[in-house]
Amino acid sequence: MIFDIRNETLPREELAELQLHRLRATVLRCYETVTFYREAMDELEVKPHHIQSLADVKLLPFTKKEQLRDNYPYGMFAVPSHHVVRLHASSGTSGKPVVVGHTRRDLVNWGEMGARCLAAAGLAPGDRLHNAYGYGLFTGGLGLHGAGEALGLTVIPMSGGQTQKQVMLLADLAPTAMSCTPSYALNIVEEAEKLGVDLRKLPLKVGIFGAEPWTEEMRYELESRMGIDALDIYGLTELMGPSVGIECLEGKKGLHIWEDHFLVECVDIDTGEPLPPGEKGEVVITSLTREAFPMLRFRTRDIAVLEPAPCKCGRTHVRMSRITGRTDDMLIIRGVNVFPTQVEAILMRTETLSPFYQLEVFREGHLDSLRVNVEASPPLYAKGQDYMDRVAAKVKKDIKDFIGISCEVKIHPTGAVERSMGKAVRVVDHRNEKK
Ligand code: DLL
């Protein structure tokens, strides 16, 4: 079902007209109300009236995460504080988080975009959504919560953690959809299997998974072990939260980005130059309707490809491929670029391994080295060390053949790799540790 038939299927020319109108209004407001934007535009000698076409977006300065941090906590807000009804914040692993505000209208728009996403996943009033994204400053919990309510679903605000209880409620409350990170979904699947609950026999039909990179191989794993369709949902705190885009159930290939609310570009990671459609680069997003925290050309650090070809679902909004990685998650091991998702794909194609893994990076002298930690499936573990060594050697060879790096592969017993409650920690970097 399409939630907002008019806006989701707008002919491209009308969509472009609407985008230009909203872009010009956003740029003007940013220039007039946020010192950071005025200074950045003045430095480039760009004035709001220079934006005459959508292509002129490239005249505008980029906004980078560090600059948002420099303006902590309220420097980027474009409305007086009495218009702000909610704050969220990005996780801020290094230092201060980025604090993002929402007006009442921002929350309504967010809810509507969320409703579009859940409808695109085949849901409608009468469905129940078990929401296992964390509630709090993280946008996942409240974001999917608002989405479900805006569509008229029954939302079960479970939040993350208490994994046994998650399984009990999935069995007892009979939700038809669940939302969480894909890595946490795996954790729940494992717990259910331990407790003897077969998720495939429950009414659950769709999983709304995102907030971290994952692969087609992981989709297959989750779909087959849960008996559901698993769909990829994307978003980020700086632009709103979840529901910036989602895969539709019909296409399951690329995430529709709601272009009446966001102008999306794909740029060369190094030069920042816009790339033609179909080329892989960094996703850059400008908000078109955000009131409290408008954003000009945010460098997301997420790497993907934009696909403008029409989708069989009838939506006209551009599709973005899966995020293959983040520029800051890219490891460079002896000169070769590698993303954790590339390793994930290889591990998950190896049937005797279980899908729990973590990478460690070390520095010996001037050389970086990679260790891949992964768990054996219980039958593999039962076959003994010799057999496991042979599997490890095979994985090591596959990684060398497909990615081009030499690494150590260590196979562990079940439970050795830390389980995720939200976003999985895929890389432990020992390079800057003091000896
Ligand atoms: O993760 C918002 C969200 C919540 C999205 C629930 C989807 C579902 P942040 O914590 O600010 O916000 O993290 C944003 O997470 O820049 C990506 O690197 C990554 N990310 C989000 N969705 C996906 C996805 C939320 N579907 C950062 N695939 C983004 C890959 C994703 N990475």
Side-chain angles (χ1 to χ4, degrees):
M1 191 201 62
I2 297 186
F3 177 75
D4 181 348
I5 188 85
R6 184 179 143 65
N7 285 309
E8 292 179 59
T9 62
L10 265 189
R12 293 292 311 174
E13 311 77 67
E14 274 183 58
L15 189 52
E17 244 173 71
L18 180 65
Q19 283 189 308
L20 179 59
H21 174 73
R22 290 182 170 174
L23 175 66
R24 297 184 68 176
T26 298
V27 171
L28 184 63
R29 230 159 50 76
C30 284
Y31 191 81
E32 286 179 345
T33 55
V34 182
T35 310
F36 166 79
Y37 286 124
R38 191 170 48 253
E39 287 177 359
M41 285 174 62
D42 282 347
E43 205 178 312
L44 295 179
E45 296 180 15
V46 186
K47 300 285 173 224
H49 69 267
H50 291 154
I51 306 300
Q52 296 291 336
S53 73
L54 282 180
D56 290 339
V57 71
K58 65 175 188 295
L59 303 175
L60 296 169
F62 287 121
T63 305
K64 296 191 170 159
K65 186 137 184 156
E66 308 81 80
Q67 294 166 323
L68 302 182
R69 288 220 177 89
D70 293 345
N71 284 283
Y72 175 84
Y74 298 129
M76 302 293 286
F77 282 42
V79 294
S81 63
H82 62 276
H83 289 179
V84 177
V85 297
R86 168 111 60 91
L87 296 179
H88 278 284
S90 70
S91 46
T93 39
S94 44
K96 300 275 192 197
V98 173
V99 175
V100 175
H102 301 258
T103 64
R104 221 174 268 287
R105 165 61 40 200
D106 289 333
L107 292 186
V108 169
N109 284 340
W110 190 5
E112 282 182 6
M113 282 183 262
R116 289 183 190 183
C117 288
L118 296 178
L123 299 172
D127 278 304
R128 287 189 200 109
L129 174 68
H130 175 106
N131 185 19
Y133 280 115
Y135 282 64
L137 286 173
F138 173 56
T139 53
L142 284 163
L144 264 299
H145 188 103
E149 288 189 349
L151 183 57
L153 310 185
T154 307
V155 182
I156 303 164
M158 180 59 207
S159 196
Q162 296 184 281
T163 310
Q164 284 199 1
K165 187 167 174 187
Q166 303 262 359
V167 174
M168 182 183 87
L169 294 184
L170 283 170
D172 294 349
L173 303 185
T176 45
M178 79 175 286
S179 45
C180 60
T181 59
S183 60
Y184 189 49
L186 260 187
N187 190 349
I188 294 177
V189 171
E190 187 189 38
E191 194 64 40
E193 288 170 357
K194 260 194 240 159
L195 296 170
V197 174
D198 187 348
L199 296 176
R200 290 170 303 184
K201 299 213 169 107
L202 302 180
L204 209 55
K205 59 183 181 188
V206 66
I208 313 292
F209 300 137
E212 63 185 5
W214 55 306
T215 54
E216 280 304 309
E217 286 76 7
M218 178 77 97
R219 183 193 327 253
Y220 177 76
E221 179 87 17
L222 289 168
E223 290 190 334
S224 51
R225 285 170 77 179
M226 300 179 79
I228 58 168
D229 284 296
L231 298 177
D232 194 4
I233 186 166
Y234 174 75
L236 54 170
T237 315
E238 293 84 352
L239 265 313
M240 180 171 85
S243 310
V244 170
I246 192 166
E247 289 176 318
C248 57
L249 190 59
E250 299 91 325
K252 250 195 204 178
K253 198 166 182 359
L255 295 84
H256 290 282
I257 303 290
W258 305 126
E259 285 184 282
D260 48 340
H261 294 278
F262 299 106
L263 184 65
V264 57
E265 303 169 75
C266 191
V267 306
D268 185 284
I269 296 165
D270 300 317
T271 64
E273 279 305 307
L275 293 171
E279 279 193 34
K280 191 186 263 194
E282 181 176 346
V283 177
V284 169
I285 306 181
T286 299
S287 70
L288 298 175
T289 53
R290 304 267 309 144
E291 292 184 336
F293 202 86
M295 183 66 70
L296 299 184
R297 300 192 88 199
F298 183 61
R299 299 279 302 239
T300 63
R301 305 181 186 182
D302 294 326
I303 296 168
V305 178
L306 296 180
E307 169 56 83
C311 178
K312 58 179 159 191
C313 70
R315 292 177 182 83
T316 48
H317 296 226
V318 72
R319 278 173 293 160
M320 177 185 83
S321 69
R322 271 183 188 290
I323 304 288
T324 49
R326 291 177 57 81
T327 52
D328 39 6
D329 276 354
M330 187 176 79
L331 301 169
I332 304 178
I333 306 293
R334 302 187 185 193
V336 180
N337 298 349
V338 49
F339 287 105
T341 47
Q342 291 174 286
V343 177
E344 174 178 304
I346 290 173
L347 296 177
M348 297 194 63
R349 274 185 242 139
T350 312
E351 269 172 32
T352 48
L353 297 177
S354 78
F356 300 100
Y357 72 96
Q358 193 169 58
L359 312 183
E360 282 179 286
V361 190
F362 302 90
R363 177 158 292 162
E364 291 146 18
H366 292 297
L367 290 181
D368 290 342
S369 62
L370 178 70
R371 179 189 293 152
V372 176
N373 296 291
V374 58
E375 288 180 15
S377 63
L380 171 63
Y381 201 68
K383 286 189 174 166
Q385 195 60 47
D386 276 1
Y387 196 89
M388 285 200 293
D389 288 347
R390 263 181 279 151
V391 174
K394 165 81 172 61
V395 172
K396 188 175 151 85
K397 180 171 182 311
D398 286 349
I399 292 177
K400 176 81 190 159
D401 290 349
F402 289 104
I403 310 178
I405 50 166
S406 302
C407 64
E408 179 192 353
V409 175
K410 217 168 160 178
I411 301 187
H412 299 266
T414 307
V417 174
E418 192 188 338
R419 296 295 183 263
S420 149
M421 292 291 171
K423 295 184 192 245
V425 179
R426 293 300 189 202
V427 180
V428 179
D429 195 338
H430 299 287
R431 284 176 294 189
N432 295 321
E433 284 171 6
K434 292 214 176 73
K435 295 251 161 69

